[in-house]
Amino acid sequence: MVVQTKRLGGKVAVVTGAGRGIGKAIAIAYAGEGASVCCAARTEAEIDETVREIEGLGGRGLAVQTDVTQLESVRRAFEAAADSFGGIDILVANAGGNLDRSRVEDGDPADWLATLELNLTGVYHCTKVAIPYLKRRGSGKIIVTGSGIGHQGSAGNSAYASSKAGVWMLTRVLAQELWEYNISVNELIPGPVLTERVR
């Protein structure tokens, strides 16, 4: 009889934006492969539901209400994950959104800044906080959710496209900074996904 070992057995992952859509699917899939998963997002009820689903499948999950635009909030989430599960091996920096769907001429500068803060500064906060935890493990994985729009642009989406272009470049910089510590950094570009928000 062949005993299958779960690919992420013994690993600990922090997944931001884990309350719905792509982040929720990743969190549940990681737990299904044996990882203990810290589910981080702003909406507590949504991440509680993700953890219930993880536990219903026999996995280990932790819900931590987190605002990735606030560095101290991100720090608290990582501390909670490390305290609960003994360390951190994987970051999936997935939280994001598009708060400005106007052409540049018509857009609200506040929405532009909020979109950049959520998508780009949020990834910066999460990776900055994650790095020391991953270094302590001697290796690790950072996966950031990018977008094809960040590579080619899209009229009416200047803030989103610019923020995701920044995420793309931040990924490249981090990969160069962290390779010597055996930490890989990659951008995931999922393409169109029919989430509740898209509906």
Side-chain angles (χ1 to χ4, degrees):
M1 183 172 95
V2 177
V3 177
Q4 288 189 324
T5 303
K6 293 190 174 184
R7 290 177 286 185
L8 297 177
K11 301 294 185 184
V12 178
V14 174
V15 181
T16 67
R20 58 184 173 219
I22 294 168
K24 180 177 183 177
I26 289 172
I28 292 170
Y30 275 26
E33 286 297 332
S36 300
V37 183
C38 173
C39 300
R42 286 182 293 191
T43 306
E44 193 169 10
E46 292 180 346
I47 51 176
D48 285 345
E49 176 58 29
T50 302
V51 169
R52 276 194 294 273
E53 291 187 36
I54 286 171
E55 292 175 343
L57 297 170
R60 297 177 70 203
L62 172 71
V64 182
Q65 188 175 28
T66 309
D67 181 350
V68 298
T69 69
Q70 303 299 315
L71 184 59
E72 288 307 314
S73 180
V74 173
R75 283 200 173 110
R76 286 192 297 271
F78 276 80
E79 287 169 2
D83 288 347
S84 295
F85 299 132
I88 297 165
D89 303 281
I90 303 164
L91 163 65
V92 180
N94 169 76
N98 189 356
L99 308 176
D100 179 13
R101 288 183 163 85
S102 303
R103 291 180 175 268
V104 172
E105 181 181 11
D106 304 317
D108 183 339
D111 290 339
W112 162 275
L113 289 171
T115 300
L116 265 67
E117 188 175 26
L118 174 58
N119 294 337
L120 180 53
T121 305
V123 171
Y124 171 80
H125 286 161
C126 290
T127 54
K128 179 177 179 60
V129 173
I131 290 167
Y133 289 97
L134 302 181
K135 282 183 175 180
R136 277 184 222 130
R137 297 288 237 202
S139 66
K141 306 277 186 196
I142 295 175
I143 300 167
V144 302
T145 301
S147 172
I149 291 174
H151 291 253
Q152 64 187 21
S154 173
N157 289 286
S158 64
Y160 185 78
S162 297
S163 65
K164 290 297 186 178
V167 164
W168 172 36
M169 191 52 61
L170 180 58
T171 302
R172 296 170 69 89
V173 170
L174 286 166
Q176 292 175 41
E177 291 181 352
L178 298 176
W179 70 269
E180 64 183 294
Y181 302 103
N182 200 28
I183 299 170
S184 67
V185 188
N186 290 282
E187 180 189 28
L188 169 66
I189 303 178
V193 178
L194 186 58
T195 64
E196 289 302 318
R197 177 165 282 186
V198 171
R199 285 192 183 96

